[in-house]
Amino acid sequence: MTGERPLSTWRLWFRPSMIGLHAFAILAIAVCVVAGSWQLGVYDARQSEQRADVQEVPTAPLDEVWGPDDVFTSVQQRRPVTVTGQFRPAEEQIWVTDQEQAGEGEGSWLVAPVMVDGSALLVVRGWTAEEPESFPDVPQGMVTFDGVLQPSDTPAGRFDPETRTIGSVRVQTLINELPYDLWSGYALGEDEAIVPAGFAAPAIPEPEVSWTAGGRNLGYGLQWWVFGGFVVFMWWRMGRESVETARSALDRGDTLTT
């Protein structure tokens, strides 16, 4: 075809000489997507494995993993322990407001100080959606129960001594309000024996796993997707240049074989 422009841009993109480029691009993009998805799947699997390893940490006596004068570290965080101690009187308990319970909305934690080795360990006995009123009774005598250790919370308001309420289990704040030494973290009670009637056991948070677990697979997965994006860019650039060259040849009156 000489001196005419019978071929649309669409037909120039899909003329026989371009089929090889399109086929290569489709194959390369498919390989990048599959390989990237596979690597990200391996990353998710590594994360799940590490989370399972954290969850399978055996329960140990509190005094084997932590002491009342020890700083709370990552070794203690979310560690399941068995606590043996004596609850302080019921009127010394504390309401911790604005606490989320999975699937239940916001409510309040009931926190009780438990004397262990001469210092008080703050223990979350339960959660309720009702407005805090009078404190329920505490177990009497020496009590043994299971719990999960947690670090002191971030600041969330001041302690109100009249209503005995606070917005978080902030040990650094409460140590100035309570008449005894406190352990540097607290425990979420896991034993139904210490949960008062009408309360729900506190939800135990899922263990946090560092994103670096399986990080190499995450990096490989992202690299494959970047390669896929680069393939798309090169396909578009090479195809556009080929179409522009073909269009210029037609404009000069050259014959273009399709």
Side-chain angles (χ1 to χ4, degrees):
M1 301 176 186
T2 306
E4 300 179 358
R5 299 180 61 182
L7 297 179
S8 66
T9 300
W10 178 259
R11 291 185 62 188
L12 289 175
W13 266 95
F14 289 96
R15 67 188 191 278
S17 60
M18 293 284 287
I19 298 303
L21 176 64
H22 299 329
F24 175 78
I26 292 172
L27 178 61
I29 292 170
V31 169
C32 290
V33 170
V34 171
S37 299
W38 178 74
Q39 289 288 353
L40 292 179
V42 173
Y43 171 72
D44 288 339
R46 295 279 177 84
Q47 289 277 299
S48 297
E49 288 174 3
Q50 182 157 332
R51 189 174 292 107
D53 289 342
V54 173
Q55 290 175 324
E56 292 174 2
V57 173
T59 301
L62 177 63
D63 58 7
E64 291 185 7
V65 298
W66 193 28
D69 298 322
D70 295 339
V71 175
F72 193 98
T73 69
S74 59
V75 174
Q76 288 82 35
Q77 189 162 1
R78 291 181 174 79
R79 180 64 191 262
V81 294
T82 299
V83 179
T84 299
Q86 187 167 11
F87 281 79
R88 296 288 302 180
E91 61 270 16
E92 295 183 16
Q93 296 178 99
I94 298 167
W95 295 112
V96 180
T97 58
D98 303 323
Q99 298 301 307
E100 291 279 350
Q101 183 87 343
E104 301 291 339
E106 284 193 351
S108 299
W109 276 350
L110 174 65
V111 177
V114 179
M115 300 305 297
V116 182
D117 293 339
S119 296
L121 174 67
L122 298 176
V123 177
V124 181
R125 296 182 61 195
W127 176 90
T128 178
E130 303 296 330
E131 287 293 327
E133 295 181 359
S134 59
F135 289 114
D137 293 336
V138 297
Q140 299 299 307
M142 295 297 293
V143 180
T144 298
F145 58 91
D146 290 337
V148 175
L149 298 179
Q150 294 285 100
S152 174
D153 290 341
T154 55
R158 297 182 178 181
F159 176 70
D160 184 343
E162 293 187 5
T163 59
R164 296 192 69 78
T165 59
I166 191 171
S168 67
V169 188
R170 178 69 173 172
V171 175
Q172 291 85 338
T173 298
L174 293 172
I175 199 170
N176 297 317
E177 303 291 344
L178 303 180
Y180 27 74
D181 290 335
L182 298 179
W183 290 60
S184 58
Y186 67 98
L188 296 171
E190 275 197 305
D191 199 321
E192 292 293 337
I194 67 170
V195 179
F199 285 69
I204 306 300
E206 288 291 325
E208 294 179 359
V209 176
S210 172
W211 68 270
T212 58
R216 181 176 298 180
N217 299 101
L218 175 62
Y220 289 158
L222 296 177
Q223 284 179 4
W224 276 112
W225 283 12
V226 170
F227 292 157
F230 181 71
V231 169
V232 172
F233 168 75
M234 291 303 299
W235 166 78
W236 173 256
R237 180 175 179 178
M238 294 172 66
R240 187 182 62 180
E241 290 177 352
S242 178
V243 168
E244 289 176 351
T245 300
R247 178 66 68 195
S248 297
L250 289 174
D251 290 340
R252 292 193 305 268
D254 296 342
T255 299
L256 184 64
T257 302
T258 60

